[in-house]
Amino acid sequence: MLRLLLPLAGLAALLRAANIPQRSFGIDYDCDCFVKDGRPFRYISGSIHYSRVPRYYWRDRLLKMKMAGLDAIQTYVPWNYHETQLGVYDFSGDKDLEYFLHLANDTGLLVILRAGPYICAEWDMGGLPAWLLEKTSIVLRSSDSDYLAAVEKWMGVLLPKMRPHLYQNGGPIIMVQVENEYGSYFACDYDYLRSLLKLFRQHLGDEVVLFTTDGASPFHLRCGALQGLYATVDFAPGGNVTAAFLAQRSSEPMGPLVNSEFYTGWLDHWGHRHSVVPAETIAKTLNEILARGANVNLYMFIGGTNFAYWNGANMPYMPQPTSYDYDAPLSEAGDLTEKYFALREVIGMYKQLPEGVIPPTTPKFAYGKVCLQKVGTVVEVLDRLSPAGPVKSTYPLTFVQLKQYFGFVLYRTTLPKNCTEPTQLSSPLNGVHDRAYVSVDGVPQGVLERDKSLMINITGKAGANLDILVENMGRVNFGRYNNDFKGLVSNLTLDQDTLVEWEIYPLDVDGAVNHDINGHLDQPKRFVGNSPSYEAPTFYTGRLSIPGGIPDLPQDTYVKFPGWTKGQIWINGFNLGRYWPARGPQLTLFVPRNILVSSVPNNITVLELERSPCSTQACEIEFVDKPNINATAQYENDAPQLFVRDIWLNYL
């Protein structure tokens, strides 16, 4: 009883006297190492993003990571995932970060937390909320007073939640990263980094190791490193490990060597080949890193999925696909791969691997074809999609001005003159962000696309409705252009004349899907006549029944879109993400079992934006048991260079 009444300082003294180590984690500059509970410690970690893996599968993925021999996991906190609307915070369900941390702790994994506020991550706007752009002149990732005020408010919510999970407080978090690859950003604002350092220390205390991550070159570390934050580097397999760590030594002459992002694969873009990095290449460089006694984080260990609208984009504008498979050791669906076992073997050369059974790859099921029926075009169901009606404006407004941050907005004006002959509709300032589906009185005219298609010819009569459905395909997540405004961000012209007097409809597509978009509509419509090259954006629905009499259903599956072009799909109201088989390389979307039910038919909604197969062949999608994210399509150009995020880096 007396011990329970002792003050904390006395209890600490008792523990020391009894040689019972306190929980502690820090840096020993004399031994060039981390120290955990008083002993030298080297970690081997792997990246998993809780925002890209359904909560249902968190435990499975974490256990597979533990069984690979990892000591720790590394995860990003996407600010916009938790505060999509200003001042509205969501940490429930798939966003329950604290539950994820508990699971990691229970699995015996330490956690390296990358808290932002900016994270990159090939995630929409690098994790920054789009509502920051309501101040159009804001300088993101700088000491801009409005930006810093928003960051301080957010960190005042996030970091107090994290403090109980720090290692010295009984949790799994051993290190917290501040910002991300800031040395690759144009601002080079040390006052900003100092403000973050002060903010993190204020909320997390003085004991936790705070660190930065930058490219392995003195150039990147020049603006990315700051005294008081331990500087680590990231670099790819196949390079010169000695030279890379010498770059870290230029900022940190003593202390542990750390590669915070050792790439096990690479990111993809629509219209380019799926990135593949051989397991042997990664295993060889991993062996070199570990042989030096360095710490390493394998980025990614499992990539996961960009569900809904969460994918990011790089410049020149290239959005990333729904799959974030990354050619990682665990596949998008958590499957064990040859790479998993190759890296596990290397890790086993340097530490004792855990005993026990590795959780097997989850079974997949091919449910087969599902017939879809046309519900109506976006214009035909406009009252369901935009119940509040249009906002009227002389000139177009951006998504942010409409407080619509994701998805789609319909811009409508009338043709100011007869266009009996094909007439040029153009975006002279490349102001379609990102893709616009154009129709006149319901007749499709073509597609405008950022950086690619800035002009089309249209026809129609004076006074006809010119409807332009604009899709936000994902905000830029890396580099100086992440203040990425969406919608019609500059004027459109018709034969050099600026189009004015717009009716602008913010569309709550997800809300309409969840409230049964079929409701109050006439019978499904059938196509007649020949198949046009473009069709008006149209909703289709169908039902998937899980077969009875087969044990353990539902199981994971993949959905493919034979004959479909580009769009979005929901199952039971869950937004699976974008499909674009016409551009590739991804042809199938991962469908985790937790969104399926066996008791009643599963509701499927598809929004096809360009052209369905329904007038020429079967109007159906198909559920299969194997993914195809590496289709050989007609690619626009050569694949971007591996391990280089955008052209802007080449200018540096």
Side-chain angles (χ1 to χ4, degrees):
M1 286 299 292
L2 282 174
R3 289 189 180 183
L4 295 175
L5 299 175
L6 285 170
L8 285 176
L11 182 56
L14 270 179
L15 291 172
R16 282 194 299 273
N19 289 321
I20 301 171
Q22 288 177 267
R23 288 173 67 92
S24 63
F25 186 89
I27 294 172
D28 186 331
Y29 289 92
D30 293 329
C31 80
D32 291 336
C33 65
F34 290 111
V35 177
K36 177 172 166 282
D37 300 335
R39 295 181 179 178
F41 178 76
R42 184 258 292 277
Y43 69 74
I44 304 170
S45 169
S47 286
I48 173 175
H49 299 159
Y50 64 93
S51 54
R52 286 184 161 123
V53 176
R55 174 185 175 127
Y56 178 86
Y57 274 130
W58 286 348
R59 189 184 298 274
D60 173 81
R61 310 306 193 245
L62 290 169
L63 191 51
K64 286 171 178 167
M65 296 174 79
K66 175 70 175 175
M67 295 305 294
L70 301 184
D71 306 291
I73 59 160
Q74 190 191 76
T75 197
Y76 279 126
V77 182
W79 178 3
N80 56 4
Y81 191 57
H82 297 285
E83 193 185 1
T84 305
Q85 304 283 339
L86 174 61
V88 180
Y89 304 102
D90 187 356
F91 289 91
S92 64
D94 284 344
K95 302 180 180 184
D96 192 344
L97 171 55
E98 290 188 87
Y99 178 67
F100 179 77
L101 296 174
H102 281 302
L103 282 181
N105 210 14
D106 291 347
T107 311
L109 287 163
L110 301 166
V111 173
I112 299 161
L113 191 74
R114 311 178 85 179
Y118 164 82
I119 62 169
C120 185
E122 290 73 64
W123 187 264
D124 184 84
M125 208 164 140
L128 298 177
W131 48 258
L132 288 169
L133 300 177
E134 286 174 14
K135 178 195 172 186
T136 55
S137 63
I138 196 167
V139 182
L140 301 172
R141 304 178 67 194
S142 78
S143 49
D144 177 299
S145 58
D146 293 285
Y147 175 71
L148 269 185
V151 168
E152 287 170 10
K153 189 179 174 198
W154 160 240
M155 289 301 171
V157 172
L158 172 66
L159 297 181
K161 288 178 180 290
M162 297 300 97
R163 187 162 186 160
H165 300 280
L166 298 178
Y167 185 76
Q168 61 266 31
N169 295 334
I173 298 174
I174 53 171
M175 299 167 66
V176 178
Q177 183 179 312
V178 178
E179 243 280 346
N180 187 55
E181 295 177 330
Y182 193 64
S184 299
Y185 195 56
F186 77 97
C188 196
D189 184 341
Y190 294 115
D191 287 339
Y192 167 53
L193 291 182
R194 288 187 194 99
S195 297
L196 291 181
L197 172 57
K198 181 179 176 184
L199 188 61
F200 277 57
R201 285 286 175 224
Q202 174 189 329
H203 289 295
L204 297 177
D206 294 330
E207 289 184 48
V208 66
V209 174
L210 300 179
F211 73 103
T212 59
T213 299
D214 282 285
S217 77
F219 175 88
H220 292 102
L221 288 159
R222 182 175 66 86
C223 292
L226 184 79
Q227 189 173 359
L229 298 169
Y230 191 74
T232 74
V233 293
D234 49 40
F235 56 87
N240 186 325
V241 172
T242 302
F245 282 133
L246 277 174
Q248 186 192 356
R249 282 286 178 244
S250 70
S251 283
E252 298 289 355
M254 303 176 75
L257 297 173
V258 183
N259 183 347
S260 288
E261 287 189 10
F262 174 59
Y263 303 112
T264 63
W266 195 241
L267 55 118
D268 287 344
H269 298 100
W270 289 116
H272 300 281
R273 288 178 178 81
H274 172 55
S275 299
V276 176
V277 182
E280 310 81 61
T281 306
I282 299 157
K284 181 176 181 292
T285 307
L286 177 62
N287 187 30
E288 292 177 39
I289 292 170
L290 295 180
R292 279 172 171 73
N295 302 264
V296 64
N297 175 71
L298 297 140
Y299 187 103
M300 301 290 298
F301 204 87
I302 172 171
T305 309
N306 295 315
F307 293 115
Y309 311 113
W310 287 115
N311 66 277
N314 283 304
M315 291 295 286
Y317 189 75
M318 297 184 293
Q320 291 122 16
T322 302
S323 171
Y324 194 64
D325 177 86
Y326 215 84
D327 194 34
L330 292 174
S331 76
E332 176 183 10
D335 297 350
L336 303 168
T337 67
E338 175 198 341
K339 190 175 286 185
Y340 175 93
F341 291 102
L343 299 186
R344 185 176 188 267
E345 185 177 339
V346 174
I347 292 167
M349 293 162 56
Y350 292 92
K351 59 171 291 194
Q352 180 81 36
L353 293 172
E355 294 180 2
V357 178
I358 301 171
T361 289
T362 53
K364 313 296 185 293
F365 196 85
Y367 299 103
K369 296 173 181 176
V370 173
C371 292
L372 301 183
Q373 289 187 308
K374 180 180 175 182
V375 171
T377 66
V378 165
V379 171
E380 287 167 344
V381 298
L382 193 54
D383 59 328
R384 308 291 311 283
L385 300 171
S386 187
V391 176
K392 297 187 178 182
S393 175
T394 303
Y395 300 106
L397 301 175
T398 65
F399 275 41
V400 164
Q401 287 172 310
L402 298 162
K403 296 193 186 312
Q404 165 103 16
Y405 303 121
F406 297 96
F408 305 87
V409 168
L410 181 72
Y411 294 80
R412 171 177 286 172
T413 187
T414 54
L415 291 183
K417 62 180 182 181
N418 279 323
C419 300
T420 48
E421 295 297 316
T423 306
Q424 279 194 3
L425 173 72
S426 63
S427 174
L429 298 179
N430 195 17
V432 172
H433 287 196
D434 300 302
R435 196 169 166 87
Y437 308 90
V438 182
S439 60
V440 175
D441 274 351
V443 178
Q445 305 289 312
V447 175
L448 295 168
E449 185 176 350
R450 181 177 182 174
D451 291 350
K452 290 184 169 62
S453 172
L454 308 187
M455 186 277 293
I456 58 171
N457 288 320
I458 66 170
T459 57
K461 295 180 179 177
N465 278 338
L466 172 63
D467 286 330
I468 300 174
L469 180 70
V470 178
E471 177 189 8
N472 166 2
M473 293 204 299
R475 290 180 184 84
V476 173
N477 56 261
F478 181 79
R480 69 184 306 152
Y481 301 110
N482 63 345
N483 57 336
D484 191 8
F485 294 89
K486 297 301 186 183
L488 297 182
V489 303
S490 61
N491 289 320
L492 298 186
T493 60
L494 188 67
D495 258 1
Q496 314 303 319
D497 296 326
T498 298
L499 291 169
V500 292
E501 304 309 328
W502 294 89
E503 291 185 350
I504 308 169
Y505 295 82
L507 304 185
D508 181 12
V509 180
D510 292 77
V513 168
N514 275 294
H515 289 93
D516 186 9
I517 201 157
N518 282 316
H520 313 302
L521 289 171
D522 298 331
Q523 286 300 305
K525 299 166 178 61
R526 296 288 180 187
F527 289 104
V528 292
N530 296 325
S531 171
S533 55
Y534 291 103
E535 297 165 4
T538 300
F539 287 97
Y540 299 81
T541 60
R543 292 192 163 190
L544 166 66
S545 293
I546 305 296
I550 302 174
D552 299 326
L553 290 186
Q555 297 290 9
D556 294 348
T557 185
Y558 302 91
V559 59
K560 70 175 185 177
F561 303 84
W564 301 79
T565 307
K566 183 184 195 305
Q568 202 88 16
I569 181 171
W570 295 258
I571 298 181
N572 294 328
F574 181 86
N575 190 335
L576 264 187
R578 311 173 203 268
Y579 65 89
W580 202 355
R583 192 162 284 186
Q586 181 177 6
L587 298 191
T588 58
L589 267 63
F590 173 55
V591 183
R593 64 178 288 182
N594 57 289
I595 68 168
L596 300 173
V597 293
S598 53
S599 52
V600 294
N602 295 271
N603 290 316
I604 298 168
T605 304
V606 169
L607 171 57
E608 170 57 53
L609 296 165
E610 290 187 34
R611 188 173 60 257
S612 80
C614 299
S615 59
T616 57
Q617 62 192 72
C619 192
E620 60 193 19
I621 57 176
E622 186 176 3
F623 290 88
V624 296
D625 57 6
K626 290 182 176 59
N628 186 353
I629 57 170
N630 193 13
T632 49
Q634 188 65 46
Y635 295 107
E636 298 159 8
N637 48 40
D638 293 334
Q641 188 181 344
L642 281 175
F643 314 126
V644 175
R645 279 199 180 83
D646 71 354
I647 300 300
W648 179 67
L649 267 186
N650 295 338
Y651 299 147
L652 292 178

